[in-house]
Amino acid sequence: MRLAESSTATALAAAAAASGASLDACCARLASALGDIVTTTPFAESDYFSLQESTLVPTCIVRPRSAQDVSRAVTILSTARTPGCQFAVKGGGHTPAGGSANIQGGVTIDMTSLNATVLSGDGTSVAVGAGAVWNDVYGYLDEYNLAAAGGRNGLVGVGGLLLGGGISHFSPRVGWACDGVVEYEVVLANGTLVNVSATSHPDLYRALKGGGNNFGVVTRYDLKTFPQGNMSASTISYDISQAGAVFDAFTDIAASPNFDPYVSLQTGLLYASAANAWSLSSSAFYTKPVLHPEVYSKLEAVPSISNTSEITAVAALAAENPTPPLNWLFATLTFGTSSEAMLDIFKTLNASLYDFNPAGGVTWNFAFEPLPSVMLSYANATGGNVLGLSPEDGNGVILLFSALWSNSSSNDSIYRKGRDAFLAVRDVAERNGVLRKFEYLNYAGPHQSPLASYGKDSLDFLRQVSRKYDPTGVFQHKVPGGFKLW
Ligand SMILES: Cc1cc2nc3c(=O)[nH]c(=O)nc-3n(C[C@H](O)[C@H](O)[C@H](O)COP(=O)(O)OP(=O)(O)OC[C@H]3O[C@@H](n4cnc5c(N)ncnc54)[C@H](O)[C@@H]3O)c2cc1C
């Protein structure tokens, strides 16, 4: 039960004073209006995926229990004039860059209590609270032999993944995860709560599909469901000497004009600096309960160290437990399918990273994922998105470039090395004539410009929608985290 407003504010002020923190006027106003959902109790370490996020300390945290709570909080935050009223919005907390979904000395709205999942009467959509994680969604839908397009790891947030696009096991069958959103419930900059769909605010509907956190705080997503039973999952490890053969097999699948829509494939290179060793693996998943499907025959014919395969429920495959955060770096690029470019990228990374072993070590991880043109063919039928991609682009590959390490004193040298290696990889893709402009927002590093990568038309459209629904730029200036439009 919520405490009486004034006593909560007093208790909060006392707690803040006792802890030596300064409770500024902004948090006091929030506490006075919203009671005990405003707190100075810090986040648990595992609430965020990265140390860069988990080490930030907001002055207070708002933990809404309803969309109305979010509306009241945004109304107060958007009209307040004090600098402490800058705020962040946290979904599943999985974006690594510091300040994306948390804030030092401001207010963090933690959406995680809004995590209910409710199937529609006819079973064609599921209403999901914006603070849910994909574990919540798949666990619920598995019971009905249904699924919705979402993240592949269960602790990733519904909130952030859907605002940036969303690559799902099911994407070749149904498109980007954001293409499956049939309705959003959103708190706009002035605190108004609106329902947004193909027929209600269609411009905002399209802008939310890839436009990030620039338009409001989403409180609920209604997601299209589809029948789904078990699927198959094979994890294949290879000696690094097989890189060329694996890239050939990967490219045969990714480049196919008849891309098999049940394919969910990632091929990953991993380099652990302390061990001075590369490893190579493929997660060859298939969204039907078929072990060793024909499409993976060439990939499975490459001599491997191990190949474990299982038939599994979607929820069981996604299930994971929280782990303590590490430092993380993400960056991304997109290129047209080319096995030669992949091999060149590997050689370039090896030359750049092989002798680099900072204090505490670092593990580099490079995941290649098909971006088949068939996946880009669903957007138009569902109100469009803003990603600026079209099936005519042809089959492509998204590279997620990442690093993880525990010793924060190595941050600067790893950021520098990461940037150099990334630029070298980009050059290789360009020299091979396959570099594409698209930078996937959910994988992008803070130095990248994913919204601009959608192209001028999309960017102009996003800016226009932002000025219409948020004329004073609350989500541009008061919410500094994420990629901004103005
Ligand atoms: C281990 C791991 C696995 C991943 N797997 C996939 C995958 O399978 N497919 C894929 O496409 N991506 C994947 N990603 C990337 C992932 O999509 C992004 O990190 C995404 O932003 C995470 O969403 P979140 O809600 O957890 O993050 P958060 O860090 O909480 O939020 C991300 C951004 O969205 C904003 N935001 C969150 N919720 C709301 C809301 N309700 N209203 C307004 N703004 C909001 C935040 O302010 C922030 O800017 C993965 C990332 C990790 C670390």
Side-chain angles (χ1 to χ4, degrees):
M1 205 177 88
R2 195 171 290 177
L3 293 173
E5 291 179 356
S6 56
S7 67
T8 304
T10 314
L12 198 60
S19 71
S22 72
L23 177 71
D24 73 8
C26 180
C27 287
R29 269 188 74 193
L30 286 165
S32 164
L34 294 166
D36 70 346
I37 63 164
V38 183
T39 174
T40 51
T41 306
F43 283 109
E45 255 206 329
S46 58
D47 283 342
Y48 285 97
F49 180 71
S50 77
L51 271 173
Q52 292 99 325
E53 281 282 72
S54 69
T55 47
L56 299 179
V57 184
T59 305
C60 61
I61 299 166
V62 181
R63 296 201 157 102
R65 297 190 190 109
S66 67
Q68 287 69 28
D69 286 344
V70 178
S71 160
R72 290 161 81 197
V74 170
T75 304
I76 292 169
L77 290 163
S78 62
T79 51
R81 300 199 181 279
T82 50
C85 282
Q86 282 205 317
F87 63 105
V89 183
K90 176 187 182 292
H94 265 56
T95 302
S100 301
N102 201 3
I103 190 164
Q104 182 68 34
V107 176
T108 298
I109 302 180
D110 176 7
M111 299 295 289
T112 49
S113 300
L114 294 183
N115 62 357
T117 43
V118 182
L119 195 62
S120 65
D122 62 3
T124 59
S125 68
V126 61
V128 180
V133 295
W134 292 103
N135 272 338
D136 300 322
V137 179
Y138 299 139
Y140 177 79
L141 289 179
D142 263 4
E143 302 287 314
Y144 298 93
N145 286 323
L146 294 172
R152 291 158 295 188
N153 288 59
L155 289 175
V156 172
V158 168
L161 182 129
L162 290 174
L163 289 172
I167 304 174
S168 163
H169 291 307
F170 312 107
S171 285
R173 276 163 57 193
V174 296
W176 290 89
C178 66
D179 295 334
V181 183
V182 289
E183 186 165 310
Y184 301 81
E185 182 188 67
V186 188
V187 173
L188 299 177
N190 64 5
T192 316
L193 191 62
V194 291
N195 288 308
V196 176
S197 67
T199 51
S200 163
H201 310 291
D203 50 359
L204 184 54
Y205 180 61
R206 188 177 149 224
L208 286 166
K209 296 180 175 197
N213 69 354
N214 285 295
F215 303 96
V217 181
V218 181
T219 49
R220 199 195 71 232
Y221 296 88
D222 292 350
L223 308 179
K224 195 186 285 179
T225 57
F226 45 85
Q228 178 65 42
N230 287 345
M231 54 184 283
S232 80
S234 293
T235 305
I236 315 167
S237 308
Y238 312 91
D239 186 84
I240 193 62
S241 60
Q242 299 296 338
V246 171
F247 295 156
D248 281 347
F250 172 95
T251 304
D252 273 6
I253 297 165
S256 167
N258 302 311
F259 189 93
D260 183 331
Y262 295 93
V263 160
S264 170
L265 174 63
Q266 266 193 352
T267 285
L269 283 165
L270 192 136
Y271 180 69
S273 74
N276 229 217
W278 284 96
S279 49
L280 176 64
S281 65
S282 287
S283 299
F285 298 170
Y286 200 69
T287 64
K288 273 183 177 176
V290 176
L291 281 177
H292 310 295
E294 175 62 24
V295 65
Y296 290 137
S297 53
K298 189 167 168 187
L299 204 55
E300 295 197 287
V302 178
S304 61
I305 299 167
S306 65
N307 182 348
T308 54
S309 303
E310 59 172 341
I311 300 286
T312 172
V314 177
L317 187 61
E320 54 178 355
N321 292 315
T323 48
L326 292 167
N327 291 294
W328 280 88
L329 169 160
F330 268 20
T332 187
L333 58 82
T334 307
F335 59 94
T337 47
S338 160
S339 144
E340 294 77 22
M342 288 172 81
L343 196 56
D344 270 2
I345 287 172
F346 168 49
K347 288 179 184 161
T348 303
L349 287 167
N350 187 43
S352 174
L353 304 176
Y354 198 75
D355 291 328
F356 179 70
N357 186 23
V362 55
T363 300
W364 301 91
N365 203 335
F366 307 99
F368 297 92
E369 306 181 19
L371 176 65
S373 59
V374 64
M375 169 175 163
L376 312 177
S377 64
Y378 301 96
N380 282 343
T382 56
N385 63 41
V386 290
L387 302 173
L389 298 168
S390 123
E392 282 74 55
D393 299 343
N395 290 323
V397 176
I398 291 186
L399 169 62
L400 169 58
F401 179 113
S402 66
L404 59 144
W405 66 100
S406 56
N407 186 341
S408 302
S409 71
S410 295
N411 285 12
D412 286 346
S413 66
I414 293 172
Y415 291 146
R416 265 196 310 276
K417 176 53 86 176
R419 200 178 156 84
D420 289 352
F422 176 76
L423 291 176
V425 165
R426 212 173 169 280
D427 280 353
V428 168
E430 196 157 28
R431 272 205 311 277
N432 275 269
V434 290
L435 181 66
R436 297 209 181 147
K437 66 180 187 339
F438 180 67
E439 295 171 349
Y440 176 34
L441 184 144
N442 283 343
Y443 290 173
H447 61 280
Q448 297 194 271
S449 307
L451 297 169
S453 85
Y454 300 168
K456 187 176 177 326
D457 287 354
S458 281
L459 189 61
D460 287 349
F461 171 76
L462 286 168
R463 288 185 171 143
Q464 192 188 316
V465 176
S466 161
R467 289 191 191 274
K468 175 173 168 187
Y469 291 94
D470 181 12
T472 63
V474 169
F475 287 94
Q476 303 308 305
H477 309 305
K478 289 211 155 190
V479 181
F483 295 97
K484 302 286 103 169
L485 288 165
W486 310 3

